[in-house]
């Protein structure tokens, strides 16, 4: 699956403050697709587009291009029992 969650690394707390230990997005990802190293946020091809990184990030690093976060969360909730996502 192609990664369809984009990032804005400049918003990452780790990038903004080298002493930050924030790893909420990494901890939230059920497949280990998110990595944060030296303020560089990356989502790899193992991403299942569950949206948990969007919900976990306090600064809005993650987004789905062309879809606002509220609409994305609503879409995910409406497909909660759908295995196709």
């Amino acid at each position: 699956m192609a990664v369809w969650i984009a990032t804005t690394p400049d918003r990452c707390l780790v990038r903004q403050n080298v002493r930050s230990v924030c790893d909420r997005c990494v901890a939230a990802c059920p497949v280990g697709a998110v990595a944060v190293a030296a303020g560089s946020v990356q989502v790899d091809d193992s991403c299942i587009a569950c949206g948990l990184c969007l919900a976990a990030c306090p600064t809005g690093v993650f987004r789905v291009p062309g879809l606002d976060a509220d609409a994305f969360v609503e879409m995910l909730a409406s497909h909660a029992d759908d295995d196709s996502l």
Side-chain angles (χ1 to χ4, degrees):
M1 170 183 283
V3 176
W4 56 283
I5 293 183
T7 63
T8 306
D10 290 344
R11 290 182 162 199
C12 181
L13 291 175
V14 175
R15 186 172 197 154
Q16 293 174 12
N17 181 351
V18 295
R19 294 182 186 183
S20 176
V21 293
C22 182
D23 68 348
R24 294 176 189 177
C25 57
V26 174
C29 183
V31 296
V34 179
V36 176
S40 176
V41 181
Q42 298 176 349
V43 180
D44 68 29
D45 287 341
S46 65
C47 175
I48 59 172
C50 67
L52 293 175
C53 57
L54 275 87
C57 181
T59 60
V61 168
F62 304 91
R63 68 190 188 293
V64 176
L67 186 65
D68 70 57
D70 291 334
F72 182 65
V73 170
E74 186 176 314
M75 185 268 307
L76 289 174
S78 71
H79 290 90
D81 295 325
D82 185 353
D83 290 336
S84 67
L85 291 181

